[in-house]
Each structure stands twice: as structure tokens, then as C-alpha cells.
Amino acid sequence: MLAEGAAMVRARGIISDVDLGPLIDPSAPFDGDRQLYQRFQHMYEAGAWVLLESAIADLPADLRWLFESGAVTLEQLGAIYRELGATSAADLGAAVARGAIQSIPGLNRSVEAAVAAALPTLRKTIPRIPLGRAVAVVDPILERLRALPGIEWALPGGSLRRGQDFVGDLEIIAAADDAAIAIEDLTHLPDAARVLHQSERRLYLLLERVQLGVRFPHPAGAGSALLHFTGSVEHVRGLERLARERNVELFAPAPTEDDVYARLDLPFIPPEIRGGDDEIEAAREGRLPRLISRADMRGDLHMHSSWSDGRDSIEAMVNGCRALGYEYLAITDHSPRSAASRNLSVDGVKRQAEEIAGLRERYPDISILHGCEVDILPDGRLDFADRILQQFDIVLASLHEAAGQAPEALERRYVAAMKHPLVSVITHPTNRLIPYRRGYDLDYERVFATAVETGTVVEIDGAPAHLDLEGALARRAIAAGATVVIDSDSHRADALGRQMELGLTMARRGWVEARHVLNSRPLAELRGLVARKRAG
Ligand SMILES: [Zn+2]
Ligand SMILES: [Zn+2]
């Protein structure tokens, strides 16, 4: 029966890439707290390690980490949960503070001491999931919540809202006078979501084996809750310091974040730059950036069609871009020797040009640029001859191969490509592959300086596996004076919008404004930039 459950989970496409072993039947009715306790009690008694594995995987994350820290047995954990209803590190901390654990029958002072000792490091080993996946999990839930009666607004919190590369806690904050309808609704999500904890204003769900917490503060205090749960810790500490200086109570209930910032005479600070470095100072001095936003974007200059490794036809990509309201787009399939599964041949370039000419007639409301993403070969030359490259409206160049080369060799290849008059953009410059490969360890100051010198644009690529440049590097790029382009690098029409959003998130983390961004400019300016470099 357990194996059937696992098969069912896989068949529903909830988990595709990992073999999880036996799981509990996700379609089994589940009536909340009592059953959660019974389940792990049962698993404990069953004693089989594999079952134990799957049982603890279903616990609220903090309880699982407490168990995995070795501080408590599963039976003791069960007792703590049953007696105190503790589901989070905060609950456990509060229980320790009032000595509640040692007074639970069967437990004692030493168990409480062990829990107390484990708490500070409990969250050090949180399994983090890549941002792209976190967004894919949370976005549909947010949409669903926002459509429900009683919900005034709903936003993600934590590292997700701040657009970090990896997200530990998936949290949603939903302002609600009465959360009953929303909670009832979310407990009946179709995708075999499992309820881990449910109370009047809190719900923990297990979705795609990721824990999602939803908090439902009263609208009157939801702004302060949102700010608190968005972090970062450093940002909140900075605000608290300021609050102490001014003798105001930072987290007294407030309906909006603006109200909280206003207590400190600060303007709203966008979540993507709440890193605790210099954003509070910038806000105090009135020099916060006007971060780039979706409304500034006029086009997308990096995407693949079925002419290389994309899934959809050029026409489908064009229609996707039209639906997003763009003024222009560039189709940029891979060159012959790229590592992609399918590549554009020299002959293909000509036929592709003909297809694009036809689509330009059919869709006069959008400008379709014929581009390519050409590989920079190990010796620094490009994977298309110049006479071919000249035929493209825009040429993007990238490293996809020989990742094992020394940084100096990789840098030489980039410099050679940037000096090439036909190359307008360097894509995903660090070439990281989330979560498998870190980016190149290059001297990026030199790379950005060369970009500026040669009039080459550096990309912020929104493909979930790239997110490259990420925020900190993007900030260094614009500080060096480089122009950036924010692209989806989408391989499917239905991912164009979401991947552009991810690219925008990286850019916003990097304090990037519209004036730094190539594809927030009119097409004529973009063509001018390409032409100027080509003319030398
Ligand atoms: Zn690429
Ligand atoms: Zn690409």
C-alpha cells in the first residue's frame, strides 16, 4: 500500500527527479494534528528505518531537524508535539523558555536541555530549494489565495520574497480578517498537498515534498508581520537599531510595510535589496534606486525555438511575447557546435531567416529580430563564420563548453568574444548551473571593464538554472558602468513571462534601474548600439 502511494505521487507528476522510496498514501484523508501525531507514533512503533525516513520527511521541518539533530527520540518529539502543539523552532524556543518540556510526562530536564542546545543550530541545515522551483510552487497558491473571499492580499515572505538564489522556508503572508475559508480551501488543494499543521491563523502544507507555511495575520497588523517575516535578519536588525535610537516600537501592528518604515522616517525599501548592507543608509539619505520593474521592459532578446533545443516553434514564441505586450523580441538559437541537444546549422540560418520574414508580415505589431546564441570556442573564436554572423540582427555569445578550463583561459575567451565587433551580448556570464555547478571564479571587474570598453552588453539571464548574473554581480556590473540586458532565455513559450520575472528579480537584487537596461529602451536605440559596435 505504501509503494502504491509512492507510485501515485510519481504518476501525478509531483515528484519527477528523485527516487523517494515508499511514501504514505497522499490521498488518505487527514484530519490534522491528532493524525499527524498518530502517524509518527505509528511509524516509531513500526521501527523500520525506511518507514521512519518517510515519516520524518512529512513532519514540519523544524521538528524534523530537531529529531535529526539527535536531541530527542521520535517518541519524545511526539510527546512534545502532542502536549504543546509545537510545530516550529519559535514554538520550541518558547516552550524551553517557560520550562514546559521538562514537565511533560515521560520527559525530563535533560531532554529540555538537549532541545535548548539544539535550537540555535537547528536551521543551519535547512534543505534549500532553488528560487525558480520555489516560485513555481508558491505562485499558483498565491493566485488561488488572492481570489478567495476574506483575503485582502497575499505575498511570499522570507528569502523567496527577497529573491535569494536558494529558499529555505517557503512562507506566505495573507492578510485576512477571517482565515477560515482560505484555510479550508488550501487543505483541499488538488495536488495531493498534505496538511502538517493547522490552527486558526496558520497552516503548514507539504507540497511536492516542500514545506509551505501560510500565516494569516489580521489586516491591521499584516504589514508588520510581512516585514518581519521577509527579513533579512540583518535588515531587521538595522531597523531595530534605528527604532531604539528613536524610541519607537518597530513591530507594533501596522497594516502596511510603508507604515512601519514611516515610523523610522524611511521610504519603502524594496524586499530584493533588504540585505542589510547599505540599503538603510541609502534610504535615510534619500538615494534608494528606482529599481527596474516589469512595466519598464519592452522586449526579450534571448530565447530558443525548435530550431535548436527549444520546445516551441518561432511562431509560438512570437505569440508568447505578443501576449506579454513586448515591442520586440529576438529568436536566438544555438550555433552548430553548442552542447545543446539540437543546434542551428549554417543552412538552417537561411531557412530560419525566411520563416522569420514570413512571421514579420503576419505579426506587424511586434518586431522580430533574428539573432543567435553563438558558442565561444575553446580558442576564443566564434562558432559561426563572420559572414554568417553578419546576417543576424543581434549576436549573443556564450561559453557552454570546456568548463574545466582555468579562469585565465575562460577570461581570454570572453575578452576575445567581447572584442569581436559582431558580438553584442555576453549571456549568463558566470555560467553557473543551479544547483549543480558554481559560477566561474573570474576577475569580473576586468570582465565588466572590457564590456564597457568594447560596448558589449552583459546579460542577466532568468532561466531558473542560470539566474546569471545574480544580484551582487549585477550590482558590480552596473557600478563598473556596464549596460545589462535582462532575458528569459526561455525554451518554451509558456515560460517566457516567469523567466523574465526571475531575471528581473536578479536585477532588482543588484540595484539595477531602467537606465542600465538595454531592453527597457526603444528598438531604435538597441539597433543603434548593435550598429555602433559593428562599425567599430
Ligand atoms: Zn546559453
Ligand atoms: Zn540560451
Side-chain angles (χ1 to χ4, degrees), residues 302 304 309 332 334 338 340 373-375 396-400 427-428 431 459 461 463 466 489 491:
H302 183 177
H304 299 271
D309 57 349
T332 56
H334 290 289
S338 160
E373 183 179 15
V374 66
D375 262 51
L396 325 179
S398 61
L399 295 179
H400 286 117
T427 60
H428 44 76
N431 214 8
E459 186 185 48
D461 185 307
H466 285 312
D489 193 1
H491 289 63

Side-chain angles (χ1 to χ4, degrees), residues 10 28 66 86 161 179 324 346 354 357 403 438 460:
R10 288 197 194 89
L66 181 64
R161 182 150 179 254
L324 292 169
V346 170
E354 285 160 13
R438 292 166 54 100
I460 299 175

Side-chain angles (χ1 to χ4, degrees), residues 120-132:
T121 54
L122 205 54
R123 290 180 164 223
K124 288 259 164 70
T125 52
I126 291 179
R128 295 175 168 263
I129 64 168
L131 179 65

Side-chain angles (χ1 to χ4, degrees), residues 209-290:
R209 225 161 193 255
V210 188
Q211 181 181 306
L212 170 72
V214 191
R215 293 168 193 272
F216 299 92
H218 279 290
S224 24
L226 179 64
L227 197 149
H228 181 79
F229 288 112
T230 296
S232 67
V233 173
E234 293 77 14
H235 178 77
V236 171
R237 268 196 206 128
L239 295 179
E240 279 167 347
R241 260 195 306 277
L242 209 53
R244 270 195 304 276
E245 283 171 25
R246 302 187 174 202
N247 215 4
V248 295
E249 200 192 327
L250 184 64
F251 284 116
T256 70
E257 289 186 319
D258 296 78
D259 299 322
V260 184
Y261 284 114
R263 285 178 187 148
L264 303 173
D265 292 324
L266 294 177
F268 177 82
I269 299 177
E272 295 91 340
I273 61 169
R274 294 182 196 167
D277 12 81
D278 52 343
E279 74 279 3
I280 295 177
E281 204 183 308
R284 288 178 84 166
E285 293 166 6
R287 46 177 186 84
L288 277 182
R290 276 196 46 198

Side-chain angles (χ1 to χ4, degrees), residues 106-353:
L107 272 54
N108 53 36
R109 223 179 260 270
S110 74
V111 174
E112 186 165 282
V115 172
L119 277 178
T121 54
L122 205 54
R123 290 180 164 223
K124 288 259 164 70
T125 52
I126 291 179
R128 295 175 168 263
I129 64 168
L131 179 65
R133 193 172 152 216
V135 169
V137 171
V138 168
D139 269 1
I141 310 272
L142 281 171
E143 234 170 83
R144 191 182 174 106
L145 268 172
R146 287 167 183 156
L148 289 174
I151 302 296
E152 289 206 0
W153 51 260
L155 284 168
S159 40
L160 175 55
R161 182 150 179 254
R162 285 182 284 113
Q164 299 298 295
D165 292 351
F166 288 89
V167 178
D169 288 338
L170 290 185
E171 289 268 3
I172 288 177
I173 316 295
D177 263 322
D178 183 347
I181 294 175
I183 287 181
E184 170 67 14
D185 181 86
L186 288 192
T187 55
H188 292 103
L189 280 175
D191 281 346
R194 172 106 40 92
V195 177
L196 300 176
H197 171 81
Q198 180 180 342
S199 55
E200 199 190 334
R201 291 192 172 269
R202 243 182 347 156
L203 184 67
Y204 281 88
L205 296 171
L206 187 71
L207 295 161
E208 304 192 28
R209 225 161 193 255
V210 188
Q211 181 181 306
L212 170 72
V214 191
R215 293 168 193 272
F216 299 92
H218 279 290
S224 24
L226 179 64
L227 197 149
H228 181 79
F229 288 112
T230 296
S232 67
V233 173
E234 293 77 14
H235 178 77
V236 171
R237 268 196 206 128
L239 295 179
E240 279 167 347
R241 260 195 306 277
L242 209 53
R244 270 195 304 276
E245 283 171 25
R246 302 187 174 202
N247 215 4
V248 295
E249 200 192 327
L250 184 64
F251 284 116
T256 70
E257 289 186 319
D258 296 78
D259 299 322
V260 184
Y261 284 114
R263 285 178 187 148
L264 303 173
D265 292 324
L266 294 177
F268 177 82
I269 299 177
E272 295 91 340
I273 61 169
R274 294 182 196 167
D277 12 81
D278 52 343
E279 74 279 3
I280 295 177
E281 204 183 308
R284 288 178 84 166
E285 293 166 6
R287 46 177 186 84
L288 277 182
R290 276 196 46 198
L291 297 183
I292 183 87
S293 75
R294 174 64 181 79
D296 297 315
M297 303 307 292
R298 295 174 186 254
D300 187 345
L301 296 174
H302 183 177
M303 68 191 71
H304 299 271
S305 74
S306 50
W307 283 89
S308 67
D309 57 349
R311 189 192 67 181
D312 296 329
S313 67
I314 297 179
E315 183 165 16
M317 300 305 280
V318 168
N319 280 319
C321 289
R322 290 172 72 230
L324 292 169
Y326 292 152
E327 294 168 24
Y328 53 80
L329 71 120
I331 298 290
T332 56
D333 280 310
H334 290 289
S335 61
R337 270 186 279 179
S338 160
S341 50
R342 255 177 295 124
N343 300 303
L344 196 56
S345 64
V346 170
D347 178 50
V349 173
K350 196 166 162 267
R351 287 181 292 128
Q352 195 182 40

Side-chain angles (χ1 to χ4, degrees), residues 72-126:
V72 293
T73 66
L74 204 53
E75 192 178 33
Q76 290 166 339
L77 188 63
I80 293 172
Y81 179 81
R82 182 189 55 216
E83 296 295 322
L84 307 176
T87 58
S88 67
D91 296 339
L92 291 167
V96 167
R98 60 177 200 271
I101 289 176
Q102 55 179 292
S103 52
I104 295 172
L107 272 54
N108 53 36
R109 223 179 260 270
S110 74
V111 174
E112 186 165 282
V115 172
L119 277 178
T121 54
L122 205 54
R123 290 180 164 223
K124 288 259 164 70
T125 52
I126 291 179

